[in-house]
Amino acid sequence: MSTPAFLNPPAHTQKRKRRNLIFQSICLFAAFIAVAILCTLIYKVVVDGVGRVSLDFIKANPSQMFPDKAGIWSPLVGSMYIMALTIIFVVPVGVAAAIYLEEFTYRKNRLVRFIQVNISNLAGVPSIVFGMLGLSLFVTIIGLGKSILTGALTMSILVLPMVILVTQEALKAVPKSYREASLALGSTQWQTIRRAVIPRAIPGILTGIILAASRAIGETAPLIVVGAVGLVTFPPDSLDDRYTVLPLQILDWIGQPKEEFRIAAAAAILVLMGLLIVLNSLAIIIRARQQAKG
Amino acid sequence: MKTVLGELAVGMQTEKTMTEPPNGLMVAQDVDFYYGNFQALKKVCLEMPPQKITALIGPSGCGKSTFLRCLNRMNDLIDGTRLEGLVTIDGHDIYSKDVDVVELRKTVGMVFQKPNPFPMSIFDNVAYGPKIHGMKKKADLEVKVEECLTRSFLWDEVKDKLHQSALGLSGGQQQRLCIARTIAVNPEIILMDEPCSALDPVATAKIEDLMLELKEQFTIVIVTHNMQQAQRASDTTAFFMLGELMEVAPTRDIFLRPKNKRTEDYISGRFG
Protein backbone atom coordinates (compact mmCIF):
# COMPACT_ATOMS: atom_id res chain seq x y z
CA MET A 1 0.00 0.00 0.00
CA SER A 2 1.34 3.42 -0.94
CA THR A 3 1.67 6.28 1.54
CA PRO A 4 -1.25 8.71 1.30
CA ALA A 5 -0.51 12.20 -0.06
CA PHE A 6 -1.16 13.88 3.26
CA LEU A 7 1.77 11.99 4.78
CA ASN A 8 4.10 12.40 1.84
CA PRO A 9 3.26 15.75 0.18
CA PRO A 10 4.33 16.10 -3.44
CA ALA A 11 6.88 18.70 -4.47
CA HIS A 12 4.41 21.28 -5.73
CA THR A 13 2.55 21.30 -2.42
CA GLN A 14 5.78 22.07 -0.59
CA LYS A 15 6.44 24.88 -3.03
CA ARG A 16 2.98 26.35 -2.42
CA LYS A 17 3.58 26.22 1.30
CA ARG A 18 6.95 27.96 0.97
CA ARG A 19 5.30 30.79 -0.94
CA ASN A 20 2.68 31.05 1.74
CA LEU A 21 5.39 31.41 4.36
CA ILE A 22 7.24 34.08 2.35
CA PHE A 23 4.15 36.18 1.94
CA GLN A 24 3.29 35.81 5.60
CA SER A 25 6.77 37.07 6.52
CA ILE A 26 6.45 40.11 4.28
CA CYS A 27 3.15 41.05 5.89
CA LEU A 28 4.57 40.55 9.36
CA PHE A 29 7.53 42.78 8.51
CA ALA A 30 5.22 45.52 7.20
CA ALA A 31 3.18 45.39 10.38
CA PHE A 32 6.36 45.50 12.43
CA ILE A 33 7.60 48.71 10.73
CA ALA A 34 4.63 50.68 12.07
CA VAL A 35 5.13 49.39 15.59
CA ALA A 36 8.88 49.95 15.45
CA ILE A 37 8.46 53.58 14.50
CA LEU A 38 5.99 54.15 17.31
CA CYS A 39 8.29 52.43 19.82
CA THR A 40 11.34 54.50 18.75
CA LEU A 41 9.33 57.67 19.06
CA ILE A 42 8.02 56.80 22.49
CA TYR A 43 11.46 55.65 23.64
CA LYS A 44 13.12 58.87 22.51
CA VAL A 45 10.51 61.09 24.14
CA VAL A 46 10.43 59.11 27.35
CA VAL A 47 14.23 59.18 27.72
CA ASP A 48 14.32 62.92 27.14
CA GLY A 49 11.25 64.05 28.98
CA VAL A 50 10.12 61.63 31.65
CA GLY A 51 12.26 63.25 34.31
CA ARG A 52 10.59 66.56 33.67
CA VAL A 53 6.96 65.39 33.99
CA SER A 54 5.60 66.23 37.40
CA LEU A 55 2.62 67.93 38.96
CA ASP A 56 4.65 71.15 39.11
CA PHE A 57 5.36 70.91 35.40
CA ILE A 58 1.63 70.62 34.71
CA LYS A 59 0.64 73.40 37.12
CA ALA A 60 3.28 75.95 36.10
CA ASN A 61 2.79 78.41 33.27
CA PRO A 62 5.30 78.54 30.44
CA SER A 63 8.18 80.96 30.80
CA GLN A 64 10.85 82.12 28.43
CA MET A 65 13.14 83.30 31.20
CA PHE A 66 13.27 80.25 33.42
CA PRO A 67 13.27 77.10 31.31
CA ASP A 68 13.69 74.91 34.39
CA LYS A 69 10.53 76.20 35.97
CA ALA A 70 8.46 76.45 32.81
CA GLY A 71 5.30 74.35 32.75
CA ILE A 72 2.30 73.67 30.54
CA TRP A 73 -0.65 74.98 32.56
CA SER A 74 -1.85 77.66 30.13
CA PRO A 75 -1.51 75.54 26.95
CA LEU A 76 -3.16 72.59 28.72
CA VAL A 77 -6.11 74.73 29.76
CA GLY A 78 -6.21 76.18 26.24
CA SER A 79 -6.36 72.68 24.75
CA MET A 80 -9.14 71.68 27.14
CA TYR A 81 -11.14 74.78 26.23
CA ILE A 82 -10.71 74.09 22.51
CA MET A 83 -11.70 70.45 22.97
CA ALA A 84 -14.75 71.12 25.13
CA LEU A 85 -16.07 73.95 22.97
CA THR A 86 -15.49 71.97 19.80
CA ILE A 87 -17.51 69.06 21.17
CA ILE A 88 -20.31 71.41 22.25
CA PHE A 89 -20.48 72.99 18.80
CA VAL A 90 -19.97 69.95 16.64
CA VAL A 91 -22.10 67.25 18.27
CA PRO A 92 -25.59 68.72 17.76
CA VAL A 93 -24.86 69.79 14.20
CA GLY A 94 -22.95 66.66 13.24
CA VAL A 95 -25.44 64.19 14.71
CA ALA A 96 -28.44 66.03 13.28
CA ALA A 97 -26.84 66.15 9.82
CA ALA A 98 -26.05 62.43 9.96
CA ILE A 99 -29.59 61.58 11.06
CA TYR A 100 -30.96 63.60 8.18
CA LEU A 101 -28.70 61.98 5.61
CA GLU A 102 -29.12 58.45 6.94
CA GLU A 103 -32.68 58.27 8.25
CA PHE A 104 -34.84 60.84 6.53
CA THR A 105 -33.61 60.38 2.98
CA TYR A 106 -34.23 56.75 2.09
CA ARG A 107 -35.24 58.08 -1.30
CA LYS A 108 -31.89 59.58 -2.29
CA ASN A 109 -32.45 62.69 -4.38
CA ARG A 110 -29.79 64.74 -6.10
CA LEU A 111 -29.46 67.23 -3.25
CA VAL A 112 -28.74 64.45 -0.76
CA ARG A 113 -26.17 62.86 -3.03
CA PHE A 114 -24.55 66.24 -3.54
CA ILE A 115 -24.33 66.87 0.20
CA GLN A 116 -23.02 63.37 0.84
CA VAL A 117 -20.23 63.59 -1.73
CA ASN A 118 -19.16 66.96 -0.42
CA ILE A 119 -19.03 65.81 3.17
CA SER A 120 -16.81 62.92 2.17
CA ASN A 121 -14.57 65.29 0.24
CA LEU A 122 -14.49 67.76 3.08
CA ALA A 123 -13.16 65.07 5.39
CA GLY A 124 -10.09 64.85 3.17
CA VAL A 125 -9.34 68.57 2.93
CA PRO A 126 -5.99 69.55 4.55
CA SER A 127 -6.48 71.13 7.94
CA ILE A 128 -4.63 74.31 7.02
CA VAL A 129 -7.42 75.08 4.55
CA PHE A 130 -9.91 75.05 7.41
CA GLY A 131 -7.57 77.48 9.14
CA MET A 132 -7.81 79.86 6.18
CA LEU A 133 -11.59 79.51 6.21
CA GLY A 134 -11.66 80.22 9.94
CA LEU A 135 -9.47 83.27 9.48
CA SER A 136 -11.64 84.84 6.82
CA LEU A 137 -15.00 83.77 8.25
CA PHE A 138 -14.69 84.03 12.03
CA VAL A 139 -11.85 86.54 12.44
CA THR A 140 -12.50 88.93 9.56
CA ILE A 141 -16.15 88.67 8.53
CA ILE A 142 -17.83 87.88 11.84
CA GLY A 143 -15.17 89.74 13.80
CA LEU A 144 -14.59 87.37 16.69
CA GLY A 145 -10.91 88.25 16.69
CA LYS A 146 -8.09 85.86 17.42
CA SER A 147 -9.96 84.48 20.41
CA ILE A 148 -10.36 81.01 21.81
CA LEU A 149 -13.94 81.05 20.44
CA THR A 150 -12.57 81.49 16.92
CA GLY A 151 -10.18 78.59 17.51
CA ALA A 152 -12.97 76.29 18.70
CA LEU A 153 -15.30 77.23 15.84
CA THR A 154 -12.53 76.59 13.32
CA MET A 155 -11.79 73.26 14.94
CA SER A 156 -15.51 72.44 14.86
CA ILE A 157 -15.80 72.85 11.11
CA LEU A 158 -12.63 70.81 10.77
CA VAL A 159 -14.02 67.79 12.66
CA LEU A 160 -17.64 68.19 11.51
CA PRO A 161 -17.30 65.96 8.42
CA MET A 162 -15.68 63.27 10.55
CA VAL A 163 -18.45 63.39 13.16
CA ILE A 164 -21.10 63.20 10.43
CA LEU A 165 -19.44 60.24 8.70
CA VAL A 166 -18.84 58.27 11.91
CA THR A 167 -22.40 58.92 13.11
CA GLN A 168 -23.73 57.78 9.74
CA GLU A 169 -21.75 54.56 10.09
CA ALA A 170 -23.17 54.05 13.59
CA LEU A 171 -26.71 54.56 12.30
CA LYS A 172 -26.11 52.22 9.35
CA ALA A 173 -24.97 49.52 11.78
CA VAL A 174 -28.39 49.45 13.49
CA PRO A 175 -30.27 46.48 11.99
CA LYS A 176 -32.99 47.42 9.54
CA SER A 177 -35.38 45.11 11.37
CA TYR A 178 -35.69 47.55 14.29
CA ARG A 179 -36.69 50.36 11.98
CA GLU A 180 -39.18 48.16 10.15
CA ALA A 181 -40.68 46.84 13.37
CA SER A 182 -41.11 50.34 14.69
CA LEU A 183 -42.52 51.80 11.48
CA ALA A 184 -44.89 48.85 11.08
CA LEU A 185 -46.41 49.78 14.45
CA GLY A 186 -47.31 53.20 13.06
CA SER A 187 -44.43 55.20 14.49
CA THR A 188 -43.37 58.38 12.78
CA GLN A 189 -39.81 58.46 11.55
CA TRP A 190 -38.73 60.64 14.43
CA GLN A 191 -40.29 58.26 16.97
CA THR A 192 -38.51 55.40 15.26
CA ILE A 193 -35.19 57.24 15.27
CA ARG A 194 -35.48 58.35 18.87
CA ARG A 195 -36.80 55.14 20.42
CA ALA A 196 -35.50 52.34 18.24
CA VAL A 197 -32.45 53.58 16.35
CA ILE A 198 -30.51 56.08 18.45
CA PRO A 199 -30.36 53.96 21.62
CA ARG A 200 -28.59 51.30 19.55
CA ALA A 201 -26.31 53.78 17.79
CA ILE A 202 -25.14 55.73 20.83
CA PRO A 203 -21.94 53.74 21.47
CA GLY A 204 -20.89 54.24 17.85
CA ILE A 205 -21.73 57.94 17.98
CA LEU A 206 -19.77 58.32 21.22
CA THR A 207 -16.77 56.68 19.62
CA GLY A 208 -16.92 59.23 16.83
CA ILE A 209 -17.19 62.11 19.28
CA ILE A 210 -14.18 60.93 21.24
CA LEU A 211 -12.12 60.53 18.08
CA ALA A 212 -13.17 64.05 17.09
CA ALA A 213 -12.08 65.28 20.52
CA SER A 214 -8.68 63.70 20.20
CA ARG A 215 -8.31 65.22 16.74
CA ALA A 216 -9.24 68.61 18.19
CA ILE A 217 -6.47 68.54 20.79
CA GLY A 218 -3.90 67.14 18.36
CA GLU A 219 -4.36 69.57 15.45
CA THR A 220 -2.07 72.60 15.29
CA ALA A 221 -1.92 74.13 11.83
CA PRO A 222 -5.38 75.70 11.62
CA LEU A 223 -4.99 77.25 15.07
CA ILE A 224 -1.76 78.96 14.05
CA VAL A 225 -3.62 80.50 11.12
CA VAL A 226 -6.50 81.77 13.25
CA GLY A 227 -4.16 83.29 15.78
CA ALA A 228 -3.25 80.99 18.64
CA VAL A 229 0.03 82.25 19.99
CA GLY A 230 3.20 80.43 20.89
CA LEU A 231 3.70 81.85 24.33
CA VAL A 232 0.89 82.72 26.71
CA THR A 233 1.92 82.85 30.32
CA PHE A 234 -1.53 82.73 31.88
CA PRO A 235 -4.51 80.42 31.26
CA PRO A 236 -7.48 81.93 29.39
CA ASP A 237 -10.49 82.76 31.52
CA SER A 238 -12.97 83.98 28.96
CA LEU A 239 -13.86 83.11 25.38
CA ASP A 240 -12.39 86.39 24.11
CA ASP A 241 -8.93 85.67 25.49
CA ARG A 242 -5.77 84.96 23.60
CA TYR A 243 -4.71 81.36 24.09
CA THR A 244 -2.24 78.70 23.20
CA VAL A 245 -2.59 74.94 22.97
CA LEU A 246 -0.28 72.04 23.82
CA PRO A 247 0.98 71.19 20.33
CA LEU A 248 1.78 74.86 19.70
CA GLN A 249 3.65 75.13 22.97
CA ILE A 250 5.68 72.10 21.97
CA LEU A 251 6.43 73.69 18.60
CA ASP A 252 7.52 76.88 20.32
CA TRP A 253 9.85 75.08 22.73
CA ILE A 254 11.42 72.93 20.04
CA GLY A 255 12.33 76.15 18.22
CA GLN A 256 14.21 77.50 21.25
CA PRO A 257 18.01 77.13 21.32
CA LYS A 258 18.36 76.07 24.97
CA GLU A 259 18.58 72.35 25.77
CA GLU A 260 16.21 72.73 28.74
CA PHE A 261 13.39 73.78 26.39
CA ARG A 262 13.89 70.67 24.29
CA ILE A 263 13.48 68.58 27.42
CA ALA A 264 10.38 70.56 28.37
CA ALA A 265 9.03 69.90 24.87
CA ALA A 266 9.58 66.15 25.29
CA ALA A 267 7.77 66.26 28.63
CA ALA A 268 4.86 68.16 27.04
CA ILE A 269 4.70 65.59 24.26
CA LEU A 270 4.39 62.88 26.91
CA VAL A 271 1.45 64.67 28.50
CA LEU A 272 -0.22 65.21 25.12
CA MET A 273 0.29 61.59 24.11
CA GLY A 274 -1.05 60.48 27.47
CA LEU A 275 -4.21 62.48 26.85
CA LEU A 276 -4.64 61.07 23.36
CA ILE A 277 -4.08 57.51 24.55
CA VAL A 278 -6.70 57.95 27.27
CA LEU A 279 -9.22 59.31 24.79
CA ASN A 280 -8.56 56.64 22.18
CA SER A 281 -8.70 53.85 24.75
CA LEU A 282 -12.06 55.20 25.86
CA ALA A 283 -13.26 54.97 22.28
CA ILE A 284 -11.96 51.40 21.98
CA ILE A 285 -13.57 50.35 25.25
CA ILE A 286 -16.93 51.75 24.23
CA ARG A 287 -16.72 50.01 20.87
CA ALA A 288 -15.74 46.70 22.47
CA ARG A 289 -18.67 46.91 24.88
CA GLN A 290 -21.01 47.58 22.00
CA GLN A 291 -19.73 44.54 20.13
CA ALA A 292 -20.02 42.38 23.23
CA LYS A 293 -23.66 43.38 23.53
CA GLY A 294 -24.18 42.38 19.90
CA MET B 1 -91.62 51.08 -5.08
CA LYS B 2 -91.28 53.40 -2.15
CA THR B 3 -92.23 50.73 0.31
CA VAL B 4 -89.81 48.25 -1.15
CA LEU B 5 -86.96 50.73 -0.82
CA GLY B 6 -88.09 51.57 2.68
CA GLU B 7 -88.17 47.92 3.65
CA LEU B 8 -84.74 47.44 2.16
CA ALA B 9 -83.39 50.34 4.14
CA VAL B 10 -84.95 49.01 7.34
CA GLY B 11 -83.59 45.59 6.57
CA MET B 12 -80.08 46.97 6.14
CA GLN B 13 -80.41 48.96 9.31
CA THR B 14 -81.35 45.96 11.44
CA GLU B 15 -78.69 43.84 9.88
CA LYS B 16 -76.11 46.44 10.72
CA THR B 17 -77.19 46.70 14.35
CA MET B 18 -77.44 42.96 14.74
CA THR B 19 -74.11 41.96 13.29
CA GLU B 20 -71.62 44.75 12.73
CA PRO B 21 -69.97 43.91 9.39
CA PRO B 22 -66.32 43.34 10.23
CA ASN B 23 -63.85 45.89 8.92
CA GLY B 24 -60.62 45.04 7.22
CA LEU B 25 -61.49 43.88 3.72
CA MET B 26 -58.30 44.32 1.76
CA VAL B 27 -58.43 44.27 -2.02
CA ALA B 28 -55.66 44.55 -4.60
CA GLN B 29 -56.70 45.41 -8.16
CA ASP B 30 -54.31 45.18 -11.09
CA VAL B 31 -51.29 45.89 -8.95
CA ASP B 32 -48.05 46.41 -10.86
CA PHE B 33 -44.95 46.99 -8.81
CA TYR B 34 -41.50 48.05 -9.94
CA TYR B 35 -38.05 48.11 -8.37
CA GLY B 36 -36.50 50.67 -10.70
CA ASN B 37 -37.02 49.11 -14.14
CA PHE B 38 -37.63 45.62 -12.84
CA GLN B 39 -41.29 44.69 -12.70
CA ALA B 40 -41.78 42.55 -9.60
CA LEU B 41 -45.58 42.27 -9.71
CA LYS B 42 -47.79 42.02 -12.79
CA LYS B 43 -51.50 42.86 -12.64
CA VAL B 44 -52.12 41.16 -9.33
CA CYS B 45 -55.78 41.04 -8.24
CA LEU B 46 -56.56 39.53 -4.86
CA GLU B 47 -59.26 39.87 -2.24
CA MET B 48 -58.32 39.35 1.40
CA PRO B 49 -61.48 39.17 3.47
CA PRO B 50 -61.86 39.82 7.20
CA GLN B 51 -61.92 36.89 9.61
CA LYS B 52 -60.07 34.79 7.09
CA ILE B 53 -56.46 33.77 6.66
CA THR B 54 -55.11 34.27 3.16
CA ALA B 55 -51.88 32.40 2.42
CA LEU B 56 -49.47 33.55 -0.29
CA ILE B 57 -47.29 30.76 -1.63
CA GLY B 58 -44.82 30.44 -4.46
CA PRO B 59 -41.14 29.91 -5.21
CA SER B 60 -38.49 32.34 -3.93
CA GLY B 61 -38.43 35.62 -5.81
CA CYS B 62 -41.99 35.21 -7.08
CA GLY B 63 -43.10 38.51 -5.57
CA LYS B 64 -45.22 37.28 -2.65
CA SER B 65 -43.22 39.17 -0.02
CA THR B 66 -43.14 42.24 -2.26
CA PHE B 67 -46.90 42.01 -2.57
CA LEU B 68 -47.30 41.70 1.20
CA ARG B 69 -45.16 44.78 1.74
CA CYS B 70 -47.32 46.73 -0.71
CA LEU B 71 -50.24 46.23 1.67
CA ASN B 72 -48.81 48.42 4.44
CA ARG B 73 -46.66 50.55 2.13
CA MET B 74 -43.46 49.20 3.63
CA ASN B 75 -42.02 49.32 0.11
CA ASP B 76 -42.22 53.12 0.27
CA LEU B 77 -39.00 52.87 2.25
CA ILE B 78 -37.07 51.40 -0.66
CA ASP B 79 -35.47 53.82 -3.09
CA GLY B 80 -36.73 53.67 -6.66
CA THR B 81 -39.92 51.66 -6.15
CA ARG B 82 -43.24 52.41 -7.83
CA LEU B 83 -46.72 50.95 -7.61
CA GLU B 84 -49.51 51.11 -10.17
CA GLY B 85 -53.02 49.82 -9.66
CA LEU B 86 -55.26 49.97 -6.66
CA VAL B 87 -54.99 48.66 -3.10
CA THR B 88 -58.00 49.31 -0.90
CA ILE B 89 -59.11 48.69 2.66
CA ASP B 90 -62.90 48.68 2.97
CA GLY B 91 -63.01 50.57 -0.30
CA HIS B 92 -60.48 53.25 0.60
CA ASP B 93 -57.45 53.58 -1.65
CA ILE B 94 -54.37 53.30 0.59
CA TYR B 95 -52.10 54.84 -2.04
CA SER B 96 -54.21 57.98 -2.43
CA LYS B 97 -52.56 61.29 -1.66
CA ASP B 98 -54.76 61.88 1.40
CA VAL B 99 -53.52 58.74 3.16
CA ASP B 100 -51.43 59.18 6.27
CA VAL B 101 -48.90 56.36 6.02
CA VAL B 102 -48.22 56.42 9.75
CA GLU B 103 -51.90 55.80 10.57
CA LEU B 104 -52.14 53.25 7.77
CA ARG B 105 -49.35 51.16 9.29
CA LYS B 106 -51.16 51.29 12.61
CA THR B 107 -54.20 49.80 10.87
CA VAL B 108 -52.15 47.23 8.97
CA GLY B 109 -49.74 45.55 11.37
CA MET B 110 -46.85 43.37 10.31
CA VAL B 111 -44.96 40.40 11.72
CA PHE B 112 -41.58 39.74 10.16
CA GLN B 113 -39.71 36.65 9.06
CA LYS B 114 -37.05 36.80 11.73
CA PRO B 115 -38.41 37.55 15.21
CA ASN B 116 -37.33 41.15 15.79
CA PRO B 117 -38.16 42.23 19.33
CA PHE B 118 -36.53 45.49 20.35
CA PRO B 119 -33.53 45.13 22.66
CA MET B 120 -35.61 46.18 25.66
CA SER B 121 -37.79 44.47 28.25
CA ILE B 122 -40.73 42.25 27.35
CA PHE B 123 -43.09 44.82 28.86
CA ASP B 124 -41.57 47.71 26.92
CA ASN B 125 -41.76 45.75 23.67
CA VAL B 126 -45.53 45.36 23.95
CA ALA B 127 -45.97 48.87 25.36
CA TYR B 128 -43.93 50.42 22.53
CA GLY B 129 -46.88 50.81 20.16
CA PRO B 130 -49.43 52.09 22.71
CA LYS B 131 -46.81 54.53 24.01
CA ILE B 132 -46.02 56.04 20.63
CA HIS B 133 -49.73 56.45 20.06
CA GLY B 134 -50.09 58.44 23.24
CA MET B 135 -50.95 55.98 26.04
CA LYS B 136 -49.10 57.34 29.05
CA LYS B 137 -50.61 56.03 32.28
CA LYS B 138 -48.70 53.11 33.71
CA ALA B 139 -51.91 51.39 34.83
CA ASP B 140 -53.39 51.54 31.32
CA LEU B 141 -50.20 50.21 29.82
CA GLU B 142 -50.12 47.35 32.31
CA VAL B 143 -53.67 46.34 31.42
CA LYS B 144 -52.87 46.55 27.71
CA VAL B 145 -49.66 44.55 27.98
CA GLU B 146 -51.32 41.78 29.97
CA GLU B 147 -54.23 41.64 27.52
CA CYS B 148 -51.98 41.39 24.47
CA LEU B 149 -49.63 38.86 26.00
CA THR B 150 -52.59 36.74 27.08
CA ARG B 151 -54.08 36.86 23.61
CA SER B 152 -50.79 35.80 22.07
CA PHE B 153 -50.55 32.79 24.45
CA LEU B 154 -47.44 34.17 26.09
CA TRP B 155 -48.63 35.60 29.40
CA ASP B 156 -48.18 32.47 31.51
CA GLU B 157 -44.64 31.99 30.25
CA VAL B 158 -43.46 35.55 30.85
CA LYS B 159 -45.64 37.05 33.59
CA ASP B 160 -42.86 36.67 36.17
CA LYS B 161 -40.17 38.23 34.02
CA LEU B 162 -41.89 41.11 32.25
CA HIS B 163 -39.01 43.43 32.96
CA GLN B 164 -36.28 41.15 31.66
CA SER B 165 -34.84 41.62 28.19
CA ALA B 166 -36.95 40.22 25.39
CA LEU B 167 -33.79 38.92 23.75
CA GLY B 168 -33.59 36.23 26.44
CA LEU B 169 -36.73 34.53 25.12
CA SER B 170 -36.67 31.56 22.75
CA GLY B 171 -37.27 32.19 19.04
CA GLY B 172 -40.89 31.04 19.23
CA GLN B 173 -41.58 33.16 22.30
CA GLN B 174 -39.96 36.14 20.59
CA GLN B 175 -42.22 35.72 17.58
CA ARG B 176 -45.33 35.50 19.80
CA LEU B 177 -44.05 38.63 21.54
CA CYS B 178 -43.83 40.35 18.16
CA ILE B 179 -47.43 39.33 17.50
CA ALA B 180 -48.44 40.71 20.91
CA ARG B 181 -46.62 43.92 20.05
CA THR B 182 -48.48 44.12 16.75
CA ILE B 183 -51.97 43.59 18.18
CA ALA B 184 -51.24 46.14 20.93
CA VAL B 185 -51.94 48.99 18.50
CA ASN B 186 -55.37 47.54 17.53
CA PRO B 187 -54.80 46.89 13.84
CA GLU B 188 -57.53 45.56 11.56
CA ILE B 189 -55.23 43.60 9.33
CA ILE B 190 -52.11 41.61 10.24
CA LEU B 191 -49.50 40.79 7.61
CA MET B 192 -47.12 37.93 8.36
CA ASP B 193 -43.99 37.45 6.29
CA GLU B 194 -42.93 33.81 6.77
CA PRO B 195 -43.41 34.12 10.53
CA CYS B 196 -42.38 30.54 11.26
CA SER B 197 -39.45 30.05 8.93
CA ALA B 198 -36.95 30.53 11.78
CA LEU B 199 -38.87 28.35 14.25
CA ASP B 200 -38.99 24.68 15.16
CA PRO B 201 -42.18 22.60 14.60
CA VAL B 202 -43.43 22.98 18.19
CA ALA B 203 -43.09 26.75 18.14
CA THR B 204 -44.63 26.77 14.64
CA ALA B 205 -47.67 24.86 15.88
CA LYS B 206 -48.19 27.43 18.64
CA ILE B 207 -48.06 30.30 16.16
CA GLU B 208 -50.56 28.52 13.92
CA ASP B 209 -52.95 28.00 16.84
CA LEU B 210 -52.55 31.66 17.61
CA MET B 211 -53.33 32.65 14.02
CA LEU B 212 -56.53 30.61 14.05
CA GLU B 213 -57.52 32.36 17.27
CA LEU B 214 -56.64 35.82 15.96
CA LYS B 215 -58.53 35.47 12.71
CA GLU B 216 -61.78 35.87 14.67
CA GLN B 217 -60.88 39.53 14.89
CA PHE B 218 -58.36 40.32 12.17
CA THR B 219 -57.81 39.94 8.48
CA ILE B 220 -54.66 37.85 8.27
CA VAL B 221 -52.39 37.60 5.23
CA ILE B 222 -49.44 35.24 5.53
CA VAL B 223 -46.54 34.49 3.25
CA THR B 224 -45.29 30.95 3.73
CA HIS B 225 -42.89 28.50 2.12
CA ASN B 226 -44.44 25.69 4.09
CA MET B 227 -47.18 23.90 2.14
CA GLN B 228 -48.45 22.09 5.22
CA GLN B 229 -48.74 25.38 7.01
CA ALA B 230 -50.82 26.85 4.22
CA GLN B 231 -53.06 23.78 4.31
CA ARG B 232 -53.41 23.72 8.08
CA ALA B 233 -53.92 27.38 8.74
CA SER B 234 -55.31 29.22 5.75
CA ASP B 235 -58.78 29.64 4.25
CA THR B 236 -57.66 30.91 0.87
CA THR B 237 -54.41 30.24 -0.91
CA ALA B 238 -52.87 32.38 -3.62
CA PHE B 239 -50.07 30.97 -5.76
CA PHE B 240 -47.55 33.47 -7.12
CA MET B 241 -44.97 32.86 -9.81
CA LEU B 242 -42.62 35.30 -11.56
CA GLY B 243 -44.60 38.25 -10.25
CA GLU B 244 -47.95 36.95 -11.43
CA LEU B 245 -50.80 35.58 -9.41
CA MET B 246 -51.25 32.20 -11.12
CA GLU B 247 -54.15 30.83 -9.15
CA VAL B 248 -56.26 31.70 -6.15
CA ALA B 249 -58.86 29.44 -4.58
CA PRO B 250 -60.14 28.12 -1.27
CA THR B 251 -57.17 26.33 0.28
CA ARG B 252 -58.84 22.89 0.14
CA ASP B 253 -59.50 23.23 -3.56
CA ILE B 254 -56.08 24.48 -4.52
CA PHE B 255 -54.36 21.58 -2.81
CA LEU B 256 -56.81 18.91 -3.92
CA ARG B 257 -57.73 20.13 -7.39
CA PRO B 258 -55.28 22.73 -8.64
CA LYS B 259 -56.51 24.09 -11.98
CA ASN B 260 -53.17 25.43 -13.14
CA LYS B 261 -50.48 22.96 -14.17
CA ARG B 262 -47.75 25.05 -12.56
CA THR B 263 -49.61 25.26 -9.27
CA GLU B 264 -49.84 21.51 -9.28
CA ASP B 265 -46.13 21.14 -10.01
CA TYR B 266 -45.24 23.53 -7.22
CA ILE B 267 -47.45 22.13 -4.47
CA SER B 268 -46.46 18.58 -5.30
CA GLY B 269 -42.81 19.56 -4.96
CA ARG B 270 -41.74 19.20 -8.56
CA PHE B 271 -39.98 22.58 -8.45
CA GLY B 272 -39.44 25.53 -6.17
Side-chain angles (χ1 to χ4, degrees), chain B residues 88-119:
Chain B
T88 61
I89 296 173
D90 299 321
H92 306 290
D93 177 7
I94 66 167
Y95 279 84
S96 115
K97 276 201 180 112
D98 308 327
V99 167
D100 184 314
V101 180
V102 168
E103 284 298 316
L104 170 72
R105 295 209 184 105
K106 187 180 166 221
T107 310
V108 189
M110 187 162 200
V111 176
F112 296 85
Q113 183 171 2
K114 211 177 134 227
N116 60 352
F118 297 118

Side-chain angles (χ1 to χ4, degrees), chain A residues 106-108 113 176-189 191-192 195-196 200, chain B residues 69 74 76-81 102 105-106 110 112 116-119 128 132-133 181-182 185:
Chain A
Y106 45 85
R107 284 184 189 267
K108 307 269 182 236
R113 277 175 233 239
K176 219 173 98 195
S177 63
Y178 293 138
R179 290 187 186 86
E180 290 190 330
S182 176
L183 291 172
L185 290 169
S187 312
T188 60
Q189 271 182 297
Q191 285 173 324
T192 299
R195 290 165 189 261
R200 298 283 290 173
Chain B
R69 294 166 70 93
M74 229 34 190
D76 288 16
L77 300 173
I78 301 170
D79 198 15
T81 57
V102 168
R105 295 209 184 105
K106 187 180 166 221
M110 187 162 200
F112 296 85
N116 60 352
F118 297 118
Y128 187 97
I132 59 173
H133 294 293
R181 182 175 70 183
T182 302
V185 295

Side-chain angles (χ1 to χ4, degrees), chain A residues 102-184:
Chain A
E102 209 48 55
E103 302 291 331
F104 282 106
T105 56
Y106 45 85
R107 284 184 189 267
K108 307 269 182 236
N109 58 32
R110 274 206 198 143
L111 176 69
V112 171
R113 277 175 233 239
F114 177 76
I115 296 175
Q116 186 73 65
V117 166
N118 278 289
I119 287 173
S120 305
N121 285 340
L122 220 50
V125 169
S127 59
I128 192 87
V129 177
F130 286 98
M132 309 296 285
L133 176 66
L135 181 66
S136 63
L137 182 64
F138 301 123
V139 179
T140 312
I141 298 177
I142 302 181
L144 293 174
K146 298 179 171 182
S147 63
I148 205 162
L149 187 60
T150 301
L153 286 169
T154 306
M155 210 48 108
S156 302
I157 53 171
L158 171 73
V159 296
L160 181 63
M162 186 175 126
V163 171
I164 294 175
L165 292 174
V166 175
T167 305
Q168 278 189 285
E169 286 309 312
L171 293 172
K172 266 185 207 153
V174 176
K176 219 173 98 195
S177 63
Y178 293 138
R179 290 187 186 86
E180 290 190 330
S182 176
L183 291 172

Side-chain angles (χ1 to χ4, degrees), chain A residues 78-98:
Chain A
S79 279
M80 290 298 144
Y81 260 101
I82 292 283
M83 184 177 89
L85 289 171
T86 301
I87 296 302
I88 291 169
F89 295 146
V90 84
V91 168
V93 180
V95 172

